[in-house]
Amino acid sequence: MAITALDEATLAKLETSALAAMKMAYNPYSKFGVGAALLTEEGLIFSGCNVENAAYGHSICAERTALLKAVSEGHRKFAAIVIVCSSGKPVAPCGACRQTLNEFAPDLPVVMAGSQKKITQSLRELLPRSFGPEDLPDSPE
Ligand code: THU
């Protein structure tokens, strides 16, 4: 789905879902909440929040929570992701999330939704010259 194909109603639904997910953030260490809503090509929405851990390195971001929920329920094709955070500013996905999303959707429109403004970029723009499945000799389908 092209960035322009994401209509206002769908975008609003995704933002609402990301904001609801952010309320579930388990973030006692950073106190920084993030919510993500991932739209599948069939029109389903999977949301996620950041889930931190006392062993800090095991914390997981909202975007990967949403992606893993979708993939673990059989969805691998995605049309867009909307990300919100507790500062209210547009927040960009971290490097690990970009790489993880790239596995399934290298052209994914990424909407970084602040309370005042939204920035939309494709994952390809955010992760240029990426390493992906096609780089492996026995790449999966
Ligand atoms: N975080 C996300 O959930 N997504 C991002 O794209 C950036 C960072 C989380 C991880 C950690 O729980 C908190 O934000 C502060 O880094």
Side-chain angles (χ1 to χ4, degrees):
M1 187 189 277
I3 292 181
T4 49
L6 196 61
D7 61 89
E8 285 303 317
T10 307
L11 191 57
K13 237 167 115 178
L14 286 165
E15 195 175 347
T16 300
S17 173
L19 286 165
M22 184 174 74
K23 294 209 176 103
M24 306 309 289
Y26 176 72
N27 56 0
Y29 308 106
S30 74
K31 314 269 197 283
F32 187 72
V34 185
L38 187 60
L39 179 68
T40 71
E41 279 194 351
E42 313 100 295
L44 297 175
I45 296 174
F46 288 86
S47 65
C49 62
N50 51 330
V51 181
E52 297 184 349
N53 192 278
Y56 299 164
H58 294 287
S59 299
I60 183 154
C61 296
E63 299 90 324
R64 277 177 291 156
T65 303
L67 179 72
L68 298 183
K69 281 173 67 180
V71 173
S72 64
E73 294 195 20
H75 302 276
R76 296 181 182 176
K77 293 194 170 168
F78 304 106
I81 189 167
V82 172
I83 307 162
V84 299
C85 75
S86 53
S87 74
K89 293 183 188 156
V91 72
C94 79
C97 289
R98 294 179 199 201
Q99 179 66 30
T100 308
L101 290 165
N102 180 69
E103 182 76 16
F104 298 97
D107 289 304
L108 189 70
V110 178
V111 182
M112 297 157 265
S115 51
Q116 305 297 319
K117 71 166 185 174
K118 289 182 183 55
I119 300 168
T120 303
Q121 287 187 283
S122 72
L123 186 61
R124 201 173 289 282
E125 279 181 275
L126 294 171
L127 191 68
R129 206 181 287 280
S130 63
F131 179 83
E134 67 287 352
D135 293 304
L136 295 171
D138 297 314
S139 68
E141 272 180 43

